[in-house]
Amino acid sequence: MAFPYWWLAVLAHGLLVVFVAVAVGDTLLEVAEERPGGDATHDKAPDRDAFSHAAPNLDPAKQLNFAVGNGFFKRLWVSAPASTSAADGLGPLFNARACQRCHIRDGRGHPPLEPGTQSESMLFRLSIPAEDEAQQDRLDSGRETSIPDPVYGTQLQGFSVAGIEAEGRVEISHESIVRELAGDDRVELASPRYALRDLAHGDPHPALRISPRVAPQMIGLGLLEAVDEASILALADPDDTDGDGISGRPNRVHSAELDRLAIGRFGHKATVATLNEQNQLALHVDIGLSSPLRSEPWGDCSAAQVACRNAPHGGSPQYDNLEAHDQVVDLLLLYTRHLAVPARRNPRDPDVIAGRALFRQVGCAGCHQPDLVTGDAPGHTENARQHIWPYTDLLLHDMGEDLADHADDGQASGREWRTAPLWGIGLTGAVAGHTRFLHDGRARSLEEAILWHGGEAATAREGYAALTAAERAQLVRFVESL
Ligand code: HEC
Ligand code: HEC
């Protein structure tokens, strides 16, 4: 028998494969993963401004427009009519006078931090079940994701211009829920209950549902917008065919901008398809300004709120009778598409590396998809073809009863939420001055956020709870390094 030379070939090939795998593993960890936003990552100080930098890959002209867009994001709108006619039109009902009041230093908002106080950066969506065929049709077509309260509209506004009454406020009380951890440790979670108070127009609809939400952080949103729908759908597993207990599915909504049914990406229930639509929704509902896609000047005043609808508004003929005209929304779009993602801190720390493995081992990565590749990004090609590390699949997941708001929104049920992106999350305290997490800011630490996970994420939570205290600390260190 001749010497089996083919063995040498197999051996060499095997070595080659091992070598490449290690090299690729290394490359991913050391090059791509440390710069989660790809070319839109910044290396500036991890301080209070860490979420406010322009992506370094913007050309100088766009950097200038980014700065002007930032001005609009921070602008304090005033009520009409005002001498500064370009900045009037606030309200009549509003939640805050500027985007930045809620997206604190481009970071997230929070619930009241002291008992008995109100928080501007948290808001409450209002909805009722469809009551007739016309309403059901609007939901089925995806043109509306919820049916507003007939009087109070889609959101409770706690502020109003002079002469118009604010709608009311929300009182928050807490019950405690205990979670047991390995090693006889236990954590007490504060479960919030929400009740409407001081309502200006009497009782709301008897079937009213309240969905509490804090403003999310603003980094890397243009990159998330640039991910192809096919890449998101590839992660969906609505019938859990792989049997891992995780069955992510997209929200589908009608996009006025794309003029078709599209995958929702923005908002805690992924109810908005494009950044431009999300920005104009915010102008309209949160601040009370008209814009090209939402031209009514009265914001969220319902037909039943007659005085509110008749109040003066800030549109002027030279701006198409809009309060926030084309140029304003274009600059806001540029701004919100190009807020850079901070580089990782301490990614090579041994505890962080160990936590990285634990994150995958207990199943966090089943929803918090570590990396994605962006598509062509027409109109913002700086965000095109980037290898990004957002730790989200942009899909909806049933997160269990404890986190449920019982308010469906588009195709999202009352128990479903969009996987929150985790990039930058370790800088929340430095940027926004607090460490409150989840859609309503109920979690007071990253560990509490993990322990609130239920539903499809119950197995991952139990996996976390079963780790030793040292391992839990490593996993949290990893999340802090993102
Ligand atoms: C009163 C507080 C408040 C104000 C003011 C506000 N936002 Fe928001 N913003 C929120 C909340 C809450 C959400 C989450 C909405 C949801 O879950 O549907 C959000 C979501 C967003 C998102 C989507 C983020 C993501 O990760 O999905 C964008 C973009 C955004 N806002 C832009 C703006 C812009 C631009 C302005 C100013 C024109 C603005 N916001 C004003 C509270 C606010
Ligand atoms: C079944 C899907 C799923 C799994 C598995 C999962 N998560 Fe989440 N995660 C979510 C969703 C959805 C949210 C948003 C929930 C909300 O806002 O109420 C979230 C929110 C978070 C947040 C808060 C983010 C923020 O911006 O406030 C953290 C931190 C987090 N997850 C970490 C983890 C870790 C660590 C694990 C593993 C132990 C894990 N998650 C497993 C789906 C999942």
Side-chain angles (χ1 to χ4, degrees), residues 123-287:
L123 54 81
F124 297 86
R125 288 277 163 74
L126 307 175
S127 65
I128 60 169
E131 297 199 295
D132 54 41
E133 231 169 90
Q135 291 184 342
Q136 192 57 50
D137 285 349
R138 266 147 58 203
L139 292 181
D140 292 345
S141 69
R143 282 176 193 274
E144 273 175 42
T145 61
S146 63
I147 303 298
D149 178 88
V151 176
Y152 294 95
T154 59
Q155 200 160 293
L156 187 80
Q157 280 88 15
F159 297 96
S160 55
V161 301
I164 301 290
E165 228 181 325
E167 290 184 319
R169 62 183 181 90
V170 175
E171 194 173 277
I172 310 179
S173 55
H174 295 94
E175 280 168 29
S176 101
I177 295 185
V178 171
R179 296 270 198 258
E180 311 283 346
L181 304 173
D184 281 340
D185 284 337
R186 63 207 293 277
V187 171
E188 213 173 297
L189 303 175
S191 176
R193 298 278 177 278
Y194 302 102
L196 300 180
R197 293 281 183 262
D198 303 336
L199 290 176
H201 313 287
D203 287 343
H205 191 282
L208 184 78
R209 307 173 299 197
I210 305 175
S211 182
R213 314 211 179 170
V214 293
Q217 60 186 29
M218 297 297 296
I219 53 171
L221 298 178
L223 294 164
L224 296 180
E225 187 174 41
V227 176
D228 283 334
E229 293 202 338
S231 309
I232 302 174
L233 290 175
L235 299 170
D237 182 17
D239 305 314
D240 191 19
T241 42
D242 66 3
D244 65 353
I246 297 180
S247 56
R249 60 189 193 119
N251 204 346
R252 281 177 213 273
V253 293
H254 179 84
S255 161
E257 192 184 359
L258 305 173
D259 194 23
R260 63 172 170 85
L261 219 53
I263 293 184
R265 299 162 192 247
F266 301 108
H268 293 294
K269 285 191 190 258
T271 40
V272 182
T274 71
L275 265 179
N276 196 20
E277 287 171 274
Q278 176 74 53
N279 292 345
Q280 295 190 46
L281 176 70
L283 286 165
H284 192 71
V285 184
D286 301 341
I287 309 184

Side-chain angles (χ1 to χ4, degrees), residues 108 363-364 367-368 399 417-418 437-439 450 453 456:
R108 67 185 66 209
C364 310
C367 301
H368 295 283
M399 294 298 284
W417 300 98
R418 175 197 69 169
F437 301 104
L438 298 173
H439 66 272
I450 298 168
H453 283 53
E456 294 171 37

